[in-house]
Amino acid sequence: MIMSIAITLHLLAIVIWVGGMFFAHQVMRPAAVNTLEPPQRLQLWVAGFKRFFPWVWLCIGIVLVTGLWMFFQFPKPPLFMHIMLGLGIIMMLIFFHVFFAPYNRLKKAVAEERWKDGGAALNQIRMLVGINTIIGVITIIVATAGKYFLN
Ligand code: HEM
């Protein structure tokens, strides 16, 4: 019973986090580049991150608590779970870095209308979110397909 709740919450959190990154990176970013000048574009991203990042914090909390709880239900967790745990921790560390370093710089630059500095910070966020999206997709593959091969 608790397992069914844990895995459902685990997957809902993963869908919101990885799906949100995919949308931001692959869909919204090119659309914004094609339609908005830097000042509007940078302000849009600050407003967007302000709404998305609280969801990411919540998702990380849920993924970690449910993931670790499920992990410790297994006397000897299979290899794919160890890989998932490792990749999950890396994704979380990358997010913490984005949140506390370039996102802070982006907010400050936008508040002070330093668009060039803001663009540099946004570029770092773009790169790191791109990396985290790829790791996220790999982790999903490891967790689903890997379940059958990485025991
Ligand atoms: C960070 C710590 C994490 C831990 C400790 C963890 C642990 C677990 C455990 C124990 C299961 C249950 C597997 C089973 O019963 O077969 C699970 C399922 C799953 N996890 Fe994680 N996980 C973590 C992070 C992640 C991340 C970051 C992703 C994806 C980006 C992810 C994707 C999945 C998926 C897709 C499943 C469903 C697998 C299936 O049943 O087919 N997990 N996780």
Side-chain angles (χ1 to χ4, degrees), residues 10-11 14 63 67-68 70-71 74 81 84 92 136 139 143 147:
H10 195 74
L11 284 193
I14 291 302
V63 166
L68 288 175
M70 292 187 289
F71 189 88
F74 295 82
M81 286 187 199
M84 174 162 32
M92 291 170 198
T139 311
K147 195 173 178 177

Side-chain angles (χ1 to χ4, degrees), residues 10-144:
H10 195 74
L11 284 193
L12 283 175
I14 291 302
V15 166
I16 292 170
W17 184 14
V18 179
M21 289 195 297
F22 182 89
F23 177 75
H25 194 274
Q26 298 300 114
V27 179
M28 204 59 195
R29 181 184 60 89
V33 167
N34 284 338
T35 53
L36 299 174
E37 293 301 316
Q40 282 76 37
R41 184 151 43 88
L42 291 166
Q43 291 178 74
L44 172 71
W45 281 114
V46 169
F49 291 145
K50 205 174 154 194
R51 282 165 183 77
F52 181 52
F53 285 168
W55 284 103
V56 177
W57 281 107
L58 178 69
C59 289
I60 285 179
I62 291 173
V63 166
L64 205 54
V65 169
T66 56
L68 288 175
W69 184 84
M70 292 187 289
F71 189 88
F72 288 113
Q73 300 308 302
F74 295 82
K76 190 177 173 299
L79 177 61
F80 82 91
M81 286 187 199
H82 288 276
I83 299 174
M84 174 162 32
L85 172 59
L87 293 176
I89 299 285
I90 291 170
M91 288 176 67
M92 291 170 198
L93 292 176
I94 290 176
F95 172 72
F96 298 156
H97 178 74
V98 165
F99 190 85
F100 291 110
Y103 175 50
N104 253 341
R105 285 199 289 275
L106 173 67
K107 280 191 295 191
K108 207 158 176 292
V110 167
E112 295 166 7
E113 303 192 357
R114 287 183 284 108
W115 308 122
K116 199 162 175 292
D117 296 340
L122 185 60
N123 208 32
Q124 284 179 358
I125 295 177
R126 172 182 65 76
M127 237 175 50
L128 292 168
V129 170
I131 291 169
N132 245 6
T133 308
I134 292 169
I135 303 177
V137 170
I138 292 171
T139 311
I140 292 172
I141 294 169
V142 166
T144 51

